[in-house]
Amino acid sequence: RFARHSNSFIVARGTLRQLLGKYLSVAPQNLIFTYGNRGKPCLTHAAEPPLQFNLSHSQEYALFGFTLKHLIGVDIEYQKPMPDALKIARRFFSDREAQMLEAVAINRQSQLFFQLWTAKEAYLKAIGTGLADSLASVEIEFDRADSPRLSAIERDYNLADWSLYSCTPFAKYTGAIAINAPIPRQN
């Protein structure tokens, strides 16, 4: 829609192509992408072991994720002010998540909203549906260290097979990474 969005998309995709080319020892221009029925990109070039990847961009930053053999989804969002965070959560999140958001101080609601949003979107991108699936089909909770984890999903996946990480890659940005592999957390 806007030139800056188009430019961000082009730069992010070009960078992805460069990174994949380096990982696979293939000239970036020789990589051929195909897309799942919901738009998730994958390579037609058969890498051994299979390289999985995902990309998200927001404003001027991008987040890339790469794994061998495991599904991965990433999301990054700029934390713009969200005075209607609770209203959006009540409409699109699970009841439990909306209650969690309502229970925190109003000055922390936007931050928590973006932590929930990015975690949900990262998971939905990992399974290949993206936002075509309902945000309420994935429920997130936080452990004592404020790390997100999946607490409910409406798919044929085992919760124990997934790892979810939240990050702050840059000031005023929230990111999340979902991987279908149980990865123990480091203390």
Side-chain angles (χ1 to χ4, degrees):
R1 228 182 268 176
F2 300 105
R4 73 173 187 197
H5 294 141
S6 176
N7 290 339
S8 293
F9 177 85
I10 291 167
V11 169
R13 286 298 172 113
T15 302
L16 175 64
R17 190 174 280 277
Q18 292 291 322
L19 291 169
L20 288 169
K22 291 279 187 195
Y23 281 132
L24 298 171
S25 299
V26 173
Q29 65 271 19
N30 292 339
L31 295 171
I32 300 170
F33 293 90
T34 59
Y35 297 87
N37 61 355
R38 303 292 177 136
K40 184 176 181 178
C42 62
L43 291 170
T44 57
H45 178 272
E48 245 343 286
L51 180 67
Q52 299 289 317
F53 64 92
N54 201 237
L55 147 72
S56 177
H57 54 89
S58 179
Q59 303 286 335
E60 69 265 16
Y61 292 108
L63 182 62
F64 300 88
F66 302 91
T67 65
L68 294 176
K69 300 181 186 177
H70 300 288
L71 297 175
I72 186 168
V74 299
D75 189 42
I76 185 172
E77 299 290 339
Y78 175 73
Q79 290 182 17
K80 63 185 178 190
M82 292 290 295
D84 54 351
L86 190 54
K87 181 179 176 183
I88 294 169
R90 285 183 180 137
R91 182 168 177 200
F92 295 106
F93 291 4
S94 73
D95 289 339
R96 197 163 121 187
E97 291 164 332
Q99 290 167 3
M100 181 185 350
L101 195 61
E102 190 171 18
V104 300
I106 199 156
N107 64 338
R108 191 167 177 278
Q109 283 183 353
S110 288
Q111 178 188 6
L112 181 58
F113 174 86
F114 283 110
Q115 285 180 295
L116 289 166
W117 182 282
T118 57
K120 289 169 164 290
E121 189 167 351
Y123 170 76
L124 292 171
K125 288 174 71 178
I127 65 170
T129 65
L131 292 179
D133 241 0
S134 165
L135 287 169
S137 70
V138 180
E139 190 172 84
I140 306 296
E141 63 184 20
F142 294 90
D143 64 18
R144 288 186 208 132
D146 281 337
S147 296
R149 72 178 190 85
L150 293 167
S151 60
I153 50 178
E154 292 181 1
R155 292 275 174 177
D156 296 330
Y157 292 107
N158 183 346
L159 287 173
D161 291 340
W162 286 89
S163 296
L164 193 59
Y165 299 92
S166 188
C167 61
T168 306
F170 307 100
K172 296 193 177 195
Y173 284 82
T174 300
I177 304 157
I179 303 169
N180 80 318
I183 302 170
R185 296 198 182 272
Q186 303 292 321
N187 292 331

